[in-house]
Amino acid sequence: MGIDGKAVDALGDERLDWRFKAIPVSAHGLTVGEARRERLPLDDFGTPLLTLDAGALDHNVRAMAEWADAAGMDLAPHGKTTMAPALWRTQLDAGAWGITLANLPQLRVARAFGVRRVLLANTLLDPAGLAWLAAELEWNPEFEFQCWVDSVRAVELMDEALRLARAQRQVDVCVELGGPGGRMGVRDDGDARTVADAVRKARTLRFVGIAGYEGALAHDASEEGRGTVDAYLRRLANLYRGLEYETGEPVVSAGGSAFFDQVAEVLGGLEGRVVLRSGAYIVHDDGFYRGISPFARGAGGAGSRLRSAMHAWARVMSRPDPALAILDAGRRDLSFDAGLPEPQLVRGKGAEPVDGARITALNDQHAYLVDGSAEIGDVVRLGLSHPCTALDKWTMLPVVDDAGAEHPTVVDYVRTWF
């Protein structure tokens, strides 16, 4: 197993109380395990609230695992999406090769739960963090770790810090290739080879692969966007083929949740280990990823289409104008960076809001619902866009049996660490 199952199981012993938004007072004092067995009705929970859907989570995990296996790729899902060790275990149990993370605090959460193989899709330069990593690698021989570098200076700083920490194990490093207008990553292929040479010369580091992120270069599935992604992935593949590594099984890694079909097409036949890092798929959404996911474009067949596993619930507090309802959820509860929430239904009434109902704006604690039929006191289910900035506002997520039911039942609770 790629995670400490006992540590994850111990989360069931945590007691529910005022620390967790929307948990009903009737559940305060219960452990998570006890509340799970109680199977409380969602009607008992306050608003605002964010829930996960058990059936959608299960479907999404299986669909992605089966697709990656058929494509001949290893999956190291980006754990930053959920920061939920219980969900990481679900992904690992389904065959994931490891867990990807973005920074040192996230890495420490992973190690607290015994995640055995971590790909840090970033450069780690913090001297104190590198000293901690060196000790973690020394004390835990089973721990496998890789991170990225994109400059000779970064190699020098890592090597210096690890030497000062008297690191006993080399840190595995991938050179990151970027692109024009992208985020981090070497822009020039020749510079990438220079960085690779520097890694090979550093006693504390080991050059094990090439990595990158195509999602920073295109933000839609247009012909132009997909062409940009293809061109970048071909560069990545050519660079990977032309370098010498300090391991018998080098790694080439790419892939967010928007273009993983193209990653498979371009990188899938390469020798070594091809690692896909998609993360948003487990939760998916009713916004950006619903529109851009390769499964929505037909990859994997109709049965692979992902389902949104997250929904927000907000209560109508006021109808100050005939066409306006004010809900009790805002930017501190809901994601909004990749699109505003989508009103979907009124709980217990079994009907969609009237055609044209929409959220037009969010304040910190309020949402503006226009042209909806919901009345004061009604609870509206909202679809959200971008799970990474939805889940980070919640430390305990109730999991319902069916978010589309008239009266959903809470069957589990997922703890997050953001």
Side-chain angles (χ1 to χ4, degrees):
M1 181 180 289
I3 193 169
D4 184 347
K6 290 183 179 179
V8 177
D9 287 341
L11 293 174
D13 298 329
E14 185 167 18
R15 294 201 175 274
L16 299 172
D17 56 27
W18 53 267
R19 294 171 297 159
F20 306 115
K21 294 194 292 187
I23 297 296
V25 172
S26 61
H28 287 190
L30 296 179
T31 66
V32 167
E34 290 168 343
R36 184 188 300 131
R37 291 189 291 273
E38 288 285 329
R39 296 179 66 88
L40 298 171
L42 190 65
D43 291 340
D44 284 1
F45 286 68
T47 56
L49 176 65
L50 186 72
T51 62
L52 298 176
D53 184 284
L57 289 173
D58 179 68
H59 167 79
N60 294 346
V61 169
R62 286 188 290 104
M64 194 65 181
E66 291 170 2
W67 182 89
D69 183 63
M73 304 177 71
D74 287 309
L75 181 61
H78 212 318
K80 73 169 175 70
T81 298
T82 66
M83 285 307 296
L87 296 181
W88 296 347
R89 176 167 68 174
T90 298
Q91 293 169 299
L92 291 164
D93 286 349
W97 177 74
I99 295 294
T100 298
L101 295 167
N103 59 32
L104 183 62
Q106 294 173 9
L107 174 59
R108 285 180 168 143
V109 173
R111 289 305 297 156
F113 286 89
V115 176
R116 186 173 67 83
R117 183 181 289 122
V118 173
L119 175 58
L120 188 72
N122 212 338
T123 301
L124 181 55
L125 296 181
D126 173 19
L130 286 164
W132 172 84
L133 174 64
E136 194 73 9
L137 288 166
E138 180 180 356
W139 297 337
N140 300 278
E142 81 291 346
F143 176 35
E144 299 178 29
F145 174 84
Q146 298 176 12
C147 67
W148 298 356
V149 291
D150 69 354
S151 68
V152 171
R153 182 56 178 157
V155 171
E156 294 170 345
L157 290 171
M158 288 186 69
D159 185 49
E160 178 183 351
L162 290 167
R163 285 175 182 270
L164 287 173
R166 299 184 179 180
Q168 299 300 303
R169 285 177 61 187
Q170 289 179 302
V171 172
D172 288 349
V173 168
C174 293
V175 171
E176 179 182 3
L177 179 68
R183 200 162 54 195
M184 294 174 63
V186 179
R187 299 305 200 244
D188 180 81
D189 293 9
D191 290 343
R193 296 184 182 92
T194 300
V195 175
D197 288 340
V199 175
R200 283 190 291 263
K201 293 174 183 176
R203 180 180 61 82
T204 62
L205 305 177
R206 187 171 72 136
F207 179 46
V208 300
I210 296 293
Y213 176 52
E214 74 293 339
L217 305 176
H219 304 287
D220 58 54
S222 65
E223 183 176 348
E224 180 181 2
R226 290 171 62 81
T228 297
V229 168
D230 271 341
Y232 168 75
L233 292 171
R234 287 195 295 270
R235 280 187 62 210
L236 192 70
N238 289 334
L239 183 63
Y240 174 74
R241 292 189 191 100
L243 293 172
E244 295 182 4
Y245 303 94
E246 298 179 279
T247 176
E249 190 177 46
V251 167
V252 57
S253 177
S257 296
F259 305 105
F260 55 77
D261 56 336
Q262 294 175 252
V263 174
E265 183 177 345
V266 178
L267 304 185
L270 296 176
E271 295 183 2
R273 188 175 293 278
V274 183
V275 179
L276 182 68
R277 305 189 311 276
S278 308
Y281 74 89
I282 184 172
V283 174
H284 198 49
D285 71 4
D286 283 310
F288 176 75
Y289 288 110
R290 179 178 61 188
I292 204 171
S293 168
F295 289 157
R297 302 194 300 268
S304 298
R305 194 177 185 95
L306 300 175
R307 306 172 190 167
S308 180
M310 65 174 180
H311 300 93
W313 307 84
R315 197 177 308 270
V316 178
M317 304 296 288
S318 174
R319 293 218 56 144
D321 297 314
L324 174 65
I326 302 297
L327 309 183
D328 65 349
R331 287 178 289 195
R332 294 190 174 180
D333 314 295
L334 314 172
S335 55
F336 57 92
D337 60 305
L340 290 171
E342 170 187 279
Q344 295 179 332
L345 58 82
V346 176
R347 191 166 78 208
K349 291 192 174 181
E352 299 277 340
V354 296
D355 291 341
R358 65 195 188 279
I359 301 293
T360 60
L362 298 177
N363 296 150
D364 286 352
Q365 313 289 177
H366 297 91
Y368 293 70
L369 173 63
V370 172
D371 294 332
S373 60
E375 302 170 354
I376 292 175
D378 283 346
V379 175
V380 180
R381 192 185 82 183
L382 303 171
L384 303 177
S385 181
H386 197 192
C388 300
T389 55
L391 273 62
D392 67 348
K393 298 167 177 61
W394 299 85
T395 53
M396 188 70 74
L397 294 161
V399 181
V400 298
D401 56 350
D402 180 3
E406 285 288 291
H407 298 283
T409 298
V410 176
V411 297
D412 203 355
Y413 300 81
V414 169
R415 184 71 153 91
T416 67
W417 277 267
F418 282 96

